[in-house]
Amino acid sequence: MARVNLLPGPVPVDEAPPTCSAKGCRAPATWALSWNNPALHAPERRKQWAACDAHREHLASFLDRRGFLRDVEPVAAPPA
């Protein structure tokens, strides 16, 4: 997966967009979902899932039901 920036605003990528994290999906990701498990991670720690438009709501809902979802940011287009 390409590195993503955890700063506010569109999430830039260094190369091609990462692939969606949904099981079996190989679509390019258009969203970065930042999350952490408060029982395991320090409050400032952020893990990333990538999501395509079709799976954004499903993945965000999965994380939110568990209290893990922190931010959802668009993935910026790679530099030309």
Side-chain angles (χ1 to χ4, degrees):
M1 181 193 279
R3 291 181 306 137
V4 293
N5 184 351
L6 296 180
L7 299 175
V11 178
V13 294
D14 295 334
E15 301 167 11
T19 304
C20 181
S21 298
K23 184 176 182 177
C25 184
R26 306 293 2 130
T30 52
W31 299 96
L33 288 72
S34 298
W35 65 277
N36 78 349
N37 180 340
L40 301 175
H41 306 122
E44 65 278 356
R45 169 104 188 263
R46 293 291 184 270
K47 298 188 81 160
Q48 295 276 320
W49 277 2
C52 65
D53 288 336
H55 291 111
R56 176 184 174 231
E57 288 297 321
H58 171 73
L59 293 173
S61 176
F62 178 88
L63 293 168
D64 195 42
R65 280 192 309 269
R66 289 154 180 81
F68 296 174
L69 185 63
R70 300 296 173 248
D71 295 302
V72 178
E73 299 285 341
V75 173

